């Protein structure tokens, strides 16, 4: 049985190239938010009110999330019919070219209204690309390794995606340290985008050495590919798997968006911790998250996804509560508490293991992509709004939100079938 074979050098090579590409693609997708202030000043009229400029800048950033389901569904459709590798390579090209283009775009002062419109167009391409990349990468690595190593493979890839966020944060910190604010506006803001585009091209070249997944190759040889539109089959025969996948993705998005992306700003606003210390703590938490993704993935292989998600979601809820309630009295514990909470968020590394096993191979890419991207577009987009509204009534609003979603994750875990891929 192939399921019994150990991981080989080729498996590790596939995992490494997939994780590297995922990290660079997530860097390209996220770097926009770190330079939102500079982009807002350069791509909109100078006479525009500051609040409106900020709103429109983040609106363009959010467009990347809104278009993710559509991009993911289209790329998954062809991934189920034409092959995983082709879409896996196309997604990184669709990310690298717009990122490079953003670094070269003329500003409002040069071409007027066309500047923000071109920026929006590039952001739409980025969103479509990441919508295909993340589910495609999980499917790709899961179908390459033996079934008993699916959790490790998916956890490692998810860790690579979080490293992309960390890389964006470090590059932004470096640019703002080396250059004065006026220099950033004068052109230094372009460097992270140009670097991302070049790195993406390099990652696409490296992906040429990857092979089509054995699962897809065998289906193609047996002529056992989906006989109809894959998404149609998913919605007709796998609605339960879609529901479980969407709810687990909600927990994944809550952990990442609230604990990793929103918390640095909340530390400054609620606990009056300076920006430098907040970013340092966030770096520690993100590193611990990457380690946690791999650890939880391995545990899912050893113990099964259901008990790992049940325990992991409960641990995340407890750590989040302790983190937010302790800082007022003991701000000196920021680094260890944030690091521990970041590690607890690593339970998201076990989620894709469930998602790839929830759908049969013929429609796996489409089922996973539809569930993940639709859930992330809804909950990932609404989470910042809901948390902000909760903050008006209670400073512990972010903690209560994460705890509530963890309860949803615990209940959903009870419905996971312990099905393993043949």
């Amino acid at each position: 049985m192939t399921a019994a074979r150990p991981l080989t050098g080729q498996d590790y090579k596939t995992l490494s190239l997939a994780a590297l590409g995922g990290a660079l693609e997530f860097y390209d997708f996220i770097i926009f938010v770190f330079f939102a202030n500079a982009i807002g000043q350069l791509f909109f009229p100078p006479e525009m009110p500051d609040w409106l400029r900020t709103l429109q800048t983040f609106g363009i950033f959010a467009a990347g999330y809104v278009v993710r389901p559509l991009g993911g569904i289209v790329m998954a459709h062809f991934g189920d019919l034409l092959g995983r590798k082709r879409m896996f390579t196309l997604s990184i090209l669709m990310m690298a070219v717009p990122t490079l283009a953003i670094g070269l775009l003329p500003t409002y002062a040069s071409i007027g209204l066309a500047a923000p419109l071109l920026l929006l167009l590039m952001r739409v391409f980025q969103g479509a690309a990441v919508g295909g990349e993340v589910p495609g990468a999980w499917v790709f690595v899961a179908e390459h390794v033996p079934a008993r190593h699916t959790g490790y493979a998916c956890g490692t890839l998810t860790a690579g995606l979080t490293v992309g966020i960390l890389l964006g944060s470090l590059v932004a910190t470096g640019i703002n340290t080396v250059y004065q604010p006026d220099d950033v506006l004068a052109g230094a803001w372009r460097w992270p985008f140009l670097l991302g585009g070049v790195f993406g091209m390099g990652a696409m070249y490296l992906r040429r050495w990857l092979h089509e997944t054995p699962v897809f190759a065998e289906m193609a040889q047996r002529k056992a590919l989906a006989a109809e539109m894959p998404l149609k089959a998913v919605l007709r025969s796998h609605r339960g798997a879609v529901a479980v996948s969407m709810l687990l993705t909600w927990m994944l998005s809550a952990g990442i968006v609230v604990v990793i992306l929103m918390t640095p700003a909340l530390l400054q606003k609620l606990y009056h911790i300076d920006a430098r210390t907040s970013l340092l703590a966030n770096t520690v938490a993100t590193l611990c998250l990457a380690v946690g993704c791999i650890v939880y993935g391995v545990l899912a292989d050893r113990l099964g996804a259901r008990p790992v998600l049940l325990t992991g979601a409960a641990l995340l809820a407890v750590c989040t509560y302790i983190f937010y309630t302790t800082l007022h009295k003991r701000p000196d514990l920021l680094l260890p508490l944030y690091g521990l909470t970041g590690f607890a968020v690593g339970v998201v590394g076990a989620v894709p293991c469930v998602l790839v096993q929830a759908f049969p191979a013929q429609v796996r890419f489409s089922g996973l992509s539809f569930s993940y991207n639709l859930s992330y577009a809804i909950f990932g987009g609404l989470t910042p709004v809901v948390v902000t509204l909760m903050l008006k009534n209670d400073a512990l609003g972010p903690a209560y939100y994460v705890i509530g979603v963890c309860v949803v994750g615990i209940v959903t875990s009870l419905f996971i079938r312990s099905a393993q891929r043949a």
Side-chain angles (χ1 to χ4, degrees):
M1 280 179 65
T2 56
R5 74 172 176 83
L7 289 170
T8 64
Q10 183 62 42
D11 290 327
Y12 285 114
K13 177 183 172 184
T14 299
L15 273 174
S16 300
L17 289 176
L20 173 65
L24 294 175
E25 191 155 351
F26 242 61
Y27 163 87
D28 285 357
F29 185 71
I30 209 76
I31 194 67
F32 184 104
V33 79
F34 291 112
F35 290 92
N37 289 334
I39 289 170
Q41 291 182 58
L42 293 167
F43 281 82
F44 293 98
E47 65 274 10
M48 180 178 284
D50 190 52
W51 68 269
L52 184 56
R53 183 187 296 120
T54 302
L55 180 67
Q56 295 202 13
T57 304
F58 279 104
I60 288 178
F61 175 72
Y65 283 94
V66 173
V67 79
R68 277 174 72 159
L70 180 60
I73 289 167
V74 172
M75 294 181 73
H77 172 81
F78 290 106
D80 277 331
L81 296 179
L82 302 179
R84 321 301 199 201
K85 183 189 171 183
R86 290 185 185 182
M87 294 302 108
F88 200 36
T89 305
L90 176 63
S91 69
I92 205 163
L93 176 67
M94 283 178 61
M95 180 63 81
V97 171
T99 305
L100 191 65
I102 289 175
L104 298 171
L105 280 181
T107 61
Y108 185 88
S110 302
I111 59 171
L113 189 60
L117 292 176
L118 285 171
L119 184 64
L120 175 63
L121 181 63
M122 295 303 103
R123 190 65 192 158
V124 165
F125 277 119
Q126 284 187 322
V130 85
E133 165 70 18
V134 179
W138 283 333
V139 170
F140 191 84
V141 298
E143 290 187 349
H144 263 289
V145 302
R148 65 192 179 97
H149 293 296
T150 300
Y152 170 71
C154 291
T156 300
L157 188 84
T158 309
L161 301 179
T162 65
V163 169
I165 299 174
L166 179 62
L167 185 61
S169 175
L170 291 174
V171 168
T173 302
I175 291 288
N176 285 299
T177 301
V178 174
Y179 294 99
Q180 296 297 317
D182 289 345
D183 297 325
V184 173
L185 285 172
W189 69 272
R190 296 183 184 275
W191 287 112
F193 293 96
L194 297 175
L195 277 173
V198 171
F199 286 153
M201 295 291 188
M204 188 189 72
Y205 176 78
L206 290 174
R207 282 189 176 178
R208 292 174 60 229
W209 307 110
L210 295 174
H211 303 293
E212 183 56 82
T213 73
V215 172
F216 184 88
E218 184 187 349
M219 287 194 303
Q221 187 177 9
R222 290 192 289 113
K223 301 193 184 316
L225 301 177
E228 59 180 338
M229 185 176 178
L231 183 58
K232 183 179 177 182
V234 168
L235 295 176
R236 185 188 65 242
S237 306
H238 305 285
R239 287 192 288 267
V242 168
V244 167
S245 299
M246 287 187 68
L247 290 171
L248 288 178
T249 299
W250 184 13
M251 184 173 75
L252 180 151
S253 68
I256 298 293
V257 172
V258 178
V259 179
I260 302 300
L261 297 182
M262 291 184 69
T263 293
L266 296 174
L267 289 175
Q268 297 169 56
K269 183 178 179 183
L270 300 176
Y271 301 95
H272 310 295
I273 295 170
D274 65 272
R276 184 182 179 86
T277 305
S278 298
L279 286 172
L280 172 64
N282 183 250
T283 300
V284 171
T286 308
L287 282 171
C288 291
L289 164 61
V291 174
C293 286
I294 299 173
V295 170
Y296 275 103
V298 171
L299 289 174
D301 286 331
R302 301 278 175 85
L303 307 174
R306 182 187 294 173
V308 168
L309 282 171
L310 280 168
T311 308
L315 181 64
L316 175 57
V318 171
C319 288
T320 303
Y321 183 78
I322 293 173
F323 175 68
Y324 273 97
T325 54
T326 305
L327 281 184
H328 271 306
K329 299 173 185 175
R330 296 291 304 274
D332 56 303
L333 293 178
L334 170 63
L335 288 179
L337 283 178
Y338 203 1
L340 179 63
T341 308
F343 180 84
V345 178
V347 69
V348 305
V351 170
C353 174
V354 176
L355 270 55
V356 296
Q357 293 176 345
F359 302 94
Q362 288 91 339
V363 296
R364 179 174 290 138
F365 197 166
S366 292
L368 197 163
S369 183
F370 174 78
S371 309
Y372 171 81
N373 282 309
L374 183 60
S375 179
Y376 218 112
I378 296 169
F379 299 121
L382 287 177
T383 292
V385 178
V386 173
V387 169
T388 304
L389 290 173
M390 290 175 73
L391 272 171
K392 284 187 173 182
N393 299 316
D394 195 328
L396 291 177
Y400 293 143
Y401 180 83
V402 173
I403 291 167
V405 178
C406 284
V407 172
V408 173
I410 289 170
V411 174
T412 305
S413 300
L414 300 174
F415 293 89
I416 294 172
R417 290 181 301 172
S418 56
Q420 294 292 324
R421 193 180 75 242

